[in-house]
Amino acid sequence: MKFELPQLPYALDALEPVISKTTLEYHYGKHHQAYITNLNNLIPGTKFENADLETIVKESDGGIFNNGAQVWNHTFYFLSFSPKGGGNPTGALAQAIDKSFGSFDAFKEQFSAAAATLFGAGWAWLVKNADGSLAIVKESNAGNPLRDGLTPILTCDVWEHAYYLDKQNARPKYIEDFWKIIDWSVVGARY
Ligand code: MN
């Protein structure tokens, strides 16, 4: 199937000053688009030609995996944000965070540390285990926890292209600001 860049539920300048319009023009408009274009060019004539994106993420390898997972990861990441985001989760997700990490602040601290210490390019994830408990995992490059049977709830892209235009080398500052734009109604519905 042919994949397309998803529409964002906010304007490209709506996440400023946390994420600038320029960063979104490159990160969403060029990087995300390039992964989609590459995937569409790679799958014809393979067994993934008519596969949905989740199947590609779970079952492919090499270039098809790298581009397919980057498409999935970026869509999941960009759809987690709102200019009216921030604050705290509510409902079942909030209860699960308290149960698994002790408190929302403790979870934020552990997730931020995982994102800050991930070596090189990759993604920090909050995931749900089969028993409903939560965990934080670090994945390098295009890594995606769906491959381990986990349910992704939240992700932070720590590839340099996610923050370098706005924050240069200050990855911890990008992570600190990341919490201000999380749409917990969207993220909570994934639990
Ligand atoms: Mn990215």
Side-chain angles (χ1 to χ4, degrees):
M1 64 192 274
K2 193 161 164 55
F3 296 100
E4 292 181 1
L5 191 65
Q7 291 291 314
L8 298 181
Y10 45 81
L12 291 184
D13 62 358
L15 302 180
E16 292 188 342
V18 173
I19 295 177
S20 68
K21 182 182 179 189
T22 306
T23 286
L24 280 182
E25 284 171 347
Y26 280 88
H27 195 192
Y28 165 74
K30 297 188 187 294
H31 288 278
H32 196 180
Q33 179 62 64
Y35 295 125
I36 289 166
T37 302
N38 292 341
L39 182 63
N40 285 333
N41 288 336
L42 284 167
I43 54 177
T46 75
K47 67 175 180 178
F48 298 107
E49 184 160 6
N50 297 307
D52 61 32
L53 191 56
E54 192 167 319
T55 301
I56 291 172
V57 169
K58 287 178 175 172
E59 298 179 10
S60 68
D61 290 299
I64 293 179
F65 170 74
N66 286 334
N67 286 281
Q70 284 293 77
V71 172
W72 197 101
N73 296 356
H74 281 91
T75 297
F76 192 78
Y77 168 81
F78 287 127
L79 294 183
S80 305
F81 300 141
S82 164
K84 293 179 177 145
N88 293 24
T90 57
L93 177 61
Q95 289 173 14
I97 285 173
D98 287 346
K99 198 171 171 193
S100 294
F101 302 102
S103 68
F104 179 61
D105 285 344
F107 156 67
K108 265 175 75 173
E109 201 170 301
Q110 288 180 44
F111 186 97
S112 296
T117 58
L118 198 160
F119 186 76
W123 302 79
W125 298 86
L126 173 67
V127 297
K128 183 171 78 165
N129 297 305
D131 65 0
S133 66
L134 294 167
I136 294 165
V137 296
K138 298 198 249 188
E139 296 274 1
S140 293
N141 300 316
N144 183 302
L146 285 171
R147 284 168 83 87
D148 297 318
L150 302 168
T151 302
I153 305 293
L154 177 69
T155 194
C156 184
D157 185 350
V158 296
W159 285 57
E160 282 188 345
H161 67 219
Y163 59 87
Y164 215 87
L165 289 172
D166 294 335
K167 305 291 201 290
Q168 290 75 52
N169 61 321
R171 190 195 284 185
K173 179 62 180 160
Y174 156 71
I175 297 163
E176 185 185 327
D177 282 356
F178 164 81
W179 300 105
K180 299 175 184 169
I181 53 171
I182 303 298
D183 186 338
W184 287 109
S185 62
V186 169
V187 173
R190 296 166 176 164
Y191 178 76

